[in-house]
Amino acid sequence: MKQHLGHFCGNEELPPDLIMCPPTSHQEACQFVSTNFTAELCLRIVLWLEGLATKALELEKKFKGCYVGSYLPSSGVWHHTQRFLKRRINDPSVVHHMDFDAPTREGAQILPDDKPWRASTLCPFGGLDILPSVEAMAKNGKPRSLQAIERESGIAHQLRLWKWACYCASEKIAEQDGGKYEMAVYAAQCSNLNRMLSICEDWESACWAMAKSWLDVQVDLHLTSFQRGRDAEKPYGNDTVGISSRGPSAGPETWPDHVVDQQPRDFPSLLQKLHSGEIVHEAVSRACKEQHRQVEMNLMLCDIPYLLDLIWLWISPSEDEQNGLRPHGDPQMIRFGAHLSLLLRYLLDDEMKDAFKEKLMTVGDNILQMYAMFLFSEHHEELVGVYASQITRHYCIDLFVEMMELRLNSSIHIKHKLFRSAIEHLPFSMEDQSKASFEDIIERVLSRSREMKASKYVEKPSDVAEQQRLQSLQKAMAIQWLCFTPPTTVSDFETISAKLLIRALIHSNILFREFALISMWRIPKMPIGAHMLLSFLAEPLKQPKEALLSFDDYNVLENLHEFEDWRQYYSCDATYRSWLKLEWENSAVPPPDLSSEEKERAIVAARETLNSSLSLLLREGTPWLNAIENCPLELTSGIFLDLHAYGMLCLPSGECLCPDATLCTTLTSALYSSVSEEEALKRQLMVNVSVSLTNNDCLEVALRCLAIEGDGLGLHESNDGGLLATVMAAGFKGELARFQAGVSLEISRMDAWYSDSDGSFQIPATYVVKGLCRKCCLPEIILRCMQVSVSLAESGESNDYHDELIELVASGMLGLFSQQQLQEFLLFERHCSLYKMELGEEPSVISFVKKKKIWVSQIKYLNVLQVFFLIKLNAF
């Protein structure tokens, strides 16, 4: 421990230009202290305490004027007496001269204001500063006179005489019950601790008295080695304060035996004496129990491990504390502990012992984390990164993730402060395994934002649609952390800006897929999560995209195309919901009471909905949400497809069906049965359904199957997500055989990937989820168009969209429809046909057949849907 803290204390070497030969006693004393760790530490404590006293006196002088302590010993003047003599007042009781020996020689006194500090003029050897420090040596220069004296009389001989005289004076004054301050001043010159402690009524003065006395005795013991016939290793006395048995009559030749017995055995014993109420003033021992005094004493002892434990004990939250980011303890102590931990980490070298290093890292991390929490709680988000960046990687990530989640709904200004604090003080990408990076944090934030959480946003937790709608907003808000622009002071900020936008784009597409699957409810309320994402990325994506497209590894172009597909989809969705809102409002009013303006608004909205939807369904070029992709893996066997989904079971009423073990088993069997047994065996289909560990209202569904050519391997041309999407679509559309009728699986999170047999690698299989979205979204858009068409027909408005919709379903999208969706399509078509017949128009199916020149004899060549329409509508 001492080996490392020696660097911390910074032992100073004597400057060569100050070294004298032969050496003086002061030089030998300085040399001893500079090479002795304990003496060096003791010297620093003395200097520190004297510095505190100086600051206190300077402050007092500032507010109260001059004070006695401002008159330095080198002045050799008692100022009050000096002014008295200058006025030439004849008083035989007052000295007539200003030298130190005048009171004794003249048998007179100085004025009372000067009397307590008479000994402050004690300046041995012509005013030399005999403190054993390099600074004192530099101040003294090369004292040739002292060198000459000591060469003749012996090294430290004069010093022993002077100290012995001070000792005798202090004892004589005490015997005569003289002034206690004058006695203490003499005692301070000779380490007479007994006489010093009597006036020390506060912790600083008592500690200074002990440290100064102990240091001087150590130096004096060292200097005795230069006396002939003296034992350099004088043993200490017992651990009590008492007068040496030799007494003052023993003479100066026995110095420092007079005061050795008063000193503690070692430095820890010195500080322990401060706790003793019998030796020191009661206020001193009481002060030892204060936190900042305990900190100071442990620093003096260099017991850093214990000090860290002590600080953590004072500031650590109780075990029943629920809020981990709630500060605990004295803020000043938290701040001190954090800065102490940082200071020690920077000052101590890497060769410190493993036990101490572990303590400094583990407890230091806890303290730094607590201070970062305190700053966060005080809304100093801009400072959090300074301290959080210094702690271990997983602590730093956890801390920032929790802070970002707590500030998720705060103002942009506050969120930007936290973002900037992280990105300025952490590397963007992982450079060191032990240090966190901004990418680490943001990946965790994005991942956690997609987790299912217990409902706390709605009054009716059973309302699945509203619950998922509100939670989608929280998912979307996490993207805003990626939409801030890094400060230009960050290294390579342009590249970082591009990477942030790319990550926002990729994650937004993931969320768009999930939001599309939870926004199938035909209600006027908008999918707020999706529109929040569109607003976040609207401005950043207006910028030139050259920087984005330069990152080939991120499939930027593909993600940009998908983003535009979702923008178009949610635009169609918004026009539909706007129309539906008007339709609901109008339906609440009796038809005769509807104004022509209200009717016209609904008709205009309906036509906008049809135009918007058909522009997506019938667009030329690449199909909407094109899921055709080549597998990035080689065409080898043993490649599997995995899909994990989280969601709720929803009753037709919209309420949540709480799952249990029996329900999970039934659903597992139903999902497995959604494909033929032959197909399931061929693809090695595995299905597992369980209740979520984090939310008892939710389910976790895990699917796995073997990848084959066209579904997982090679080119995926069907554009429907393959086997896994087929299984999930059956559950999502509520058409699972051997399961409760009308109960559907509402998906809130879904991921699909490629893996090998043991799952040792995972590569995203985006086409599976995109194909599932096509299976669900495209039929829904068509059914909404049919719903709008029925409304227009009911209003007496004709439209020409039916033929296109029927042809679209019959020719290219039949495989995306479930049986129930086909029946719903038929029902809408039947209503439209009836309204057209009432208007004298030809039903759309007959029009479609004539347009295609299909005769009754050719019905056998028609696809199933067309035949289904013709039979049900009795068109022939």
Side-chain angles (χ1 to χ4, degrees):
M1 184 68 184
K2 291 183 179 179
Q3 175 186 357
H4 302 298
L5 287 176
H7 299 288
F8 175 61
C9 291
N11 290 357
E12 297 181 78
E13 296 182 356
L14 300 183
D17 60 323
L18 295 178
I19 296 178
M20 303 177 66
C21 186
T24 63
S25 57
H26 189 221
Q27 180 179 318
E28 291 292 348
C30 293
Q31 186 71 42
F32 166 72
V33 172
S34 68
T35 57
N36 184 283
F37 172 80
T38 307
E40 167 78 9
L41 182 60
C42 201
L43 171 64
R44 289 184 177 273
I45 292 171
V46 170
L47 293 173
W48 165 61
L49 291 169
E50 290 181 351
L52 292 180
T54 300
K55 290 180 180 179
L57 291 172
E58 289 293 339
L59 184 63
E60 185 178 355
K61 178 182 178 180
K62 179 179 179 181
F63 292 101
K64 296 184 178 180
C66 294
Y67 55 89
V68 174
S70 63
Y71 304 144
L72 299 178
S74 59
S75 64
V77 174
W78 298 306
H79 287 265
H80 294 282
T81 305
Q82 185 183 46
R83 285 195 295 270
F84 178 83
L85 294 177
K86 285 183 177 179
R87 291 199 295 269
R88 299 183 181 279
I89 300 175
N90 187 15
D91 187 347
S93 64
V94 179
V95 295
H96 292 82
H97 299 84
M98 296 300 298
D99 61 287
F100 174 71
D101 195 43
T104 304
R105 185 180 68 249
E106 298 177 2
Q109 300 292 327
I110 59 177
L111 292 183
D113 288 337
D114 288 334
K115 190 172 183 179
W117 299 102
R118 178 182 177 187
S120 65
T121 59
L122 288 173
C123 295
F125 317 125
L128 289 181
D129 185 353
I130 61 172
L131 195 68
S133 66
V134 174
E135 291 79 5
M137 283 194 66
K139 179 181 178 182
N140 294 336
K142 291 187 176 182
R144 296 298 184 183
S145 59
L146 177 62
Q147 183 186 37
I149 293 172
E150 293 193 328
R151 187 170 186 179
E152 181 176 344
S153 63
I155 193 167
H157 179 70
Q158 295 274 25
L159 183 63
R160 289 196 301 276
L161 289 175
W162 177 69
K163 290 200 171 188
W164 174 73
C166 290
Y167 176 78
C168 292
S170 65
E171 290 297 315
K172 192 67 173 177
I173 295 172
E175 291 174 2
Q176 297 177 353
D177 197 19
K180 62 178 182 179
Y181 293 105
E182 186 176 10
M183 171 194 69
V185 171
Y186 277 107
Q189 310 301 317
C190 61
S191 309
N192 193 354
L193 189 59
N194 256 9
R195 307 308 181 187
M196 296 168 66
L197 289 177
S198 62
I199 66 166
C200 298
E201 298 182 357
D202 59 79
W203 186 90
E204 287 94 344
S205 60
C207 185
W208 173 85
M210 288 189 175
K212 179 69 163 57
S213 175
W214 197 81
L215 173 64
D216 288 347
V217 168
Q218 295 300 306
V219 172
D220 291 340
L221 286 172
H222 174 72
L223 292 177
T224 58
S225 63
F226 296 94
Q227 302 177 48
R228 295 180 180 179
R230 297 287 296 175
D231 183 3
E233 300 295 332
K234 173 66 183 176
Y236 285 95
N238 57 29
D239 195 28
T240 61
V241 178
I243 301 298
S244 173
S245 60
R246 296 175 179 81
S249 61
E253 67 278 357
T254 60
W255 189 262
D257 294 347
H258 308 71
V259 293
V260 165
D261 291 344
Q262 300 182 33
Q263 310 305 319
R265 289 190 305 270
D266 50 30
F267 193 74
S269 300
L270 183 151
L271 295 179
Q272 187 60 38
K273 285 181 179 293
L274 291 173
H275 292 78
S276 174
E278 297 179 358
I279 301 174
V280 298
H281 195 275
E282 181 184 355
V284 177
S285 58
R286 187 169 57 246
C288 289
K289 300 176 183 178
E290 298 174 0
Q291 287 185 351
H292 68 287
R293 297 303 182 199
Q294 294 185 52
V295 169
E296 290 168 346
M297 288 186 288
N298 277 282
L299 284 175
M300 293 176 190
L301 291 171
C302 298
D303 193 353
I304 304 301
Y306 178 74
L307 175 58
L308 293 175
D309 283 335
L310 198 60
I311 293 175
W312 177 241
L313 177 66
W314 292 333
I315 69 174
S316 60
S318 58
E319 294 182 358
D320 58 349
E321 183 67 59
Q322 298 296 322
N323 187 355
L325 289 183
R326 183 177 180 180
H328 179 82
D330 180 18
Q332 297 300 330
M333 186 57 67
I334 299 174
R335 182 180 293 111
F336 170 77
H339 289 103
L340 176 65
S341 299
L342 288 180
L343 178 66
L344 292 173
R345 291 183 182 189
Y346 279 103
L347 288 182
L348 300 182
D349 54 44
D350 296 332
E351 298 178 358
M352 69 181 83
K353 293 181 179 179
D354 291 341
F356 177 61
K357 185 174 184 179
E358 182 180 359
K359 176 74 69 174
L360 184 57
M361 296 306 297
T362 55
V363 182
D365 275 356
N366 290 335
I367 296 173
L368 287 168
Q369 188 176 14
M370 184 61 67
Y371 186 51
M373 295 173 183
F374 169 74
L375 291 172
F376 179 80
S377 68
E378 295 294 313
H379 295 282
H380 291 301
E381 292 87 355
E382 69 280 3
L383 299 177
V384 168
V386 177
Y387 302 92
S389 62
Q390 303 299 319
I391 62 180
T392 306
R393 180 174 180 267
H394 68 278
Y395 280 144
C396 180
I397 294 174
D398 292 344
L399 183 62
F400 265 111
V401 169
E402 188 168 2
M403 290 179 178
M404 286 181 169
E405 288 179 346
L406 289 174
R407 293 290 187 262
L408 190 64
N409 298 309
S410 299
S411 66
I412 293 179
H413 172 69
I414 292 177
K415 294 175 72 173
H416 184 262
K417 285 201 302 180
L418 189 57
F419 163 84
R420 181 163 183 164
S421 182
I423 207 162
E424 283 186 331
H425 295 97
L426 296 173
F428 182 76
S429 302
M430 187 170 64
E431 301 171 355
D432 183 349
Q433 293 287 346
S434 64
K435 295 295 183 181
S437 68
F438 185 82
E439 283 186 330
D440 291 332
I441 294 168
I442 207 63
E443 285 300 322
R444 179 82 65 83
V445 169
L446 296 178
S447 176
R448 284 173 56 91
S449 70
R450 295 176 64 206
E451 295 176 358
M452 284 294 297
K453 300 176 179 63
S455 175
K456 60 180 180 179
Y457 306 103
V458 293
E459 296 180 359
K460 293 171 57 181
S462 59
D463 190 344
V464 176
E466 183 64 9
Q467 184 179 155
Q468 292 193 339
R469 177 177 174 271
L470 293 175
Q471 288 193 356
S472 71
L473 179 61
Q474 301 304 302
K475 292 183 182 182
M477 292 297 292
I479 289 291
Q480 192 170 27
W481 298 112
L482 296 165
C483 296
F484 292 120
T485 302
T488 56
T489 54
V490 174
S491 176
D492 203 12
F493 79 98
E494 292 182 348
T495 301
I496 291 177
S497 298
K499 287 184 176 180
L500 288 174
L501 183 53
I502 291 172
R503 190 66 190 89
L505 185 65
I506 293 173
H507 193 77
S508 294
N509 286 335
I510 293 174
L511 295 183
F512 280 137
R513 299 167 202 149
E514 295 176 354
F515 295 163
L517 295 175
I518 64 174
S519 60
M520 295 296 177
W521 300 83
R522 295 174 192 171
I523 55 177
K525 290 184 177 180
M526 296 287 181
I528 50 179
H531 290 282
M532 181 64 71
L533 287 179
L534 292 171
S535 66
F536 283 155
L537 292 172
E539 193 62 33
L541 288 178
K542 290 180 181 179
Q543 307 302 320
K545 298 181 176 59
E546 289 78 8
L548 298 181
L549 297 175
S550 64
F551 293 90
D552 299 331
D553 298 339
Y554 293 92
N555 298 320
V556 178
L557 189 58
E558 179 182 341
N559 278 282
L560 281 171
H561 288 161
E562 183 179 355
F563 181 85
E564 292 302 323
D565 281 353
W566 286 117
R567 190 203 299 271
Q568 187 177 9
Y569 170 80
Y570 285 107
S571 175
C572 297
D573 180 84
T575 57
Y576 166 76
R577 295 181 192 277
S578 297
W579 166 81
L580 188 60
K581 182 179 180 181
L582 292 173
E583 190 74 5
W584 282 20
E585 291 174 352
N586 290 348
S587 65
V589 180
D593 296 339
L594 283 175
S595 66
S596 57
E597 291 80 5
E598 291 172 327
K599 294 179 181 179
E600 184 62 26
R601 281 201 303 270
I603 292 173
V604 171
R607 292 191 178 280
E608 288 179 357
T609 300
L610 290 174
N611 289 330
S612 175
S613 299
L614 288 172
S615 66
L616 183 150
L617 294 169
L618 302 176
R619 73 181 191 182
E620 298 180 357
T622 306
W624 176 80
L625 206 64
N626 184 34
I628 298 176
E629 65 180 36
N630 275 308
C631 174
L633 305 173
E634 297 181 2
L635 300 180
T636 59
S637 60
I639 302 299
F640 287 82
L641 295 169
D642 290 83
L643 184 147
H644 280 195
Y646 300 81
M648 297 181 178
L649 288 174
C650 186
L651 296 168
S653 62
E655 295 183 354
C656 173
L657 180 62
C658 293
D660 54 24
T662 302
L663 199 62
C664 290
T665 302
T666 306
L667 181 56
T668 299
S669 177
L671 290 171
Y672 189 85
S673 302
S674 60
V675 296
S676 67
E677 184 175 354
E678 179 183 358
E679 183 73 7
L681 292 174
K682 175 185 175 184
R683 300 293 299 276
Q684 302 179 28
L685 178 64
M686 292 180 287
V687 180
N688 182 55
V689 180
S690 60
V691 179
S692 173
L693 297 176
T694 57
N695 189 341
N696 293 333
D697 293 333
C698 298
L699 289 171
E700 297 186 15
V701 180
L703 305 180
R704 195 176 212 217
C705 71
L706 184 67
I708 62 172
E709 183 74 25
D711 185 11
L713 297 177
L715 187 64
H716 181 74
E717 295 180 349
S718 62
N719 216 2
D720 62 357
L723 180 69
L724 297 185
T726 299
V727 174
M728 289 305 301
F732 189 80
K733 295 180 180 182
E735 299 184 29
L736 288 171
R738 307 175 187 175
F739 197 65
Q740 298 183 32
V743 175
S744 60
L745 183 60
E746 290 290 320
I747 301 300
S748 62
R749 176 177 178 176
M750 183 178 299
D751 296 287
W753 61 86
Y754 302 96
S755 67
D756 59 6
S757 57
D758 59 0
S760 59
F761 69 89
Q762 295 181 355
I763 301 175
T766 307
Y767 81 94
V768 175
V769 184
K770 291 171 70 174
L772 176 61
C773 290
R774 284 177 54 82
K775 275 180 173 290
C776 297
C777 296
L778 290 178
E780 179 62 23
I781 292 175
I782 292 174
L783 291 174
R784 290 176 179 182
C785 287
M786 296 298 293
Q787 180 188 14
V788 174
S789 297
V790 170
S791 177
L792 283 175
E794 186 179 11
S795 301
E797 295 290 326
S798 62
N799 63 81
D800 301 325
Y801 299 123
H802 291 81
D803 294 352
E804 294 176 291
L805 291 173
I806 293 174
E807 183 176 1
L808 185 64
V809 174
S811 57
M813 294 190 181
L814 181 60
L816 302 180
F817 279 75
S818 67
Q819 186 66 29
Q820 290 183 5
Q821 287 175 323
L822 289 175
Q823 292 178 5
E824 187 178 10
F825 185 95
L826 170 65
L827 184 61
F828 281 136
E829 175 58 29
R830 182 179 180 84
H831 287 314
C832 285
S833 297
L834 292 175
Y835 285 127
K836 281 193 172 186
M837 289 179 182
E838 291 178 1
L839 295 174
E841 297 181 8
E842 190 175 59
S844 297
V845 172
I846 298 177
S847 174
F848 172 73
V849 171
K850 287 183 178 180
K851 183 185 297 184
K852 296 298 181 180
K853 298 181 180 180
I854 299 175
W855 305 102
V856 177
S857 60
Q858 297 175 304
I859 286 180
K860 61 181 180 180
Y861 298 110
L862 299 180
N863 63 49
V864 177
L865 177 62
Q866 293 169 337
V867 175
F868 188 61
F869 283 158
L870 294 175
I871 294 174
K872 291 292 184 180
L873 291 174
N874 296 316
F876 294 94

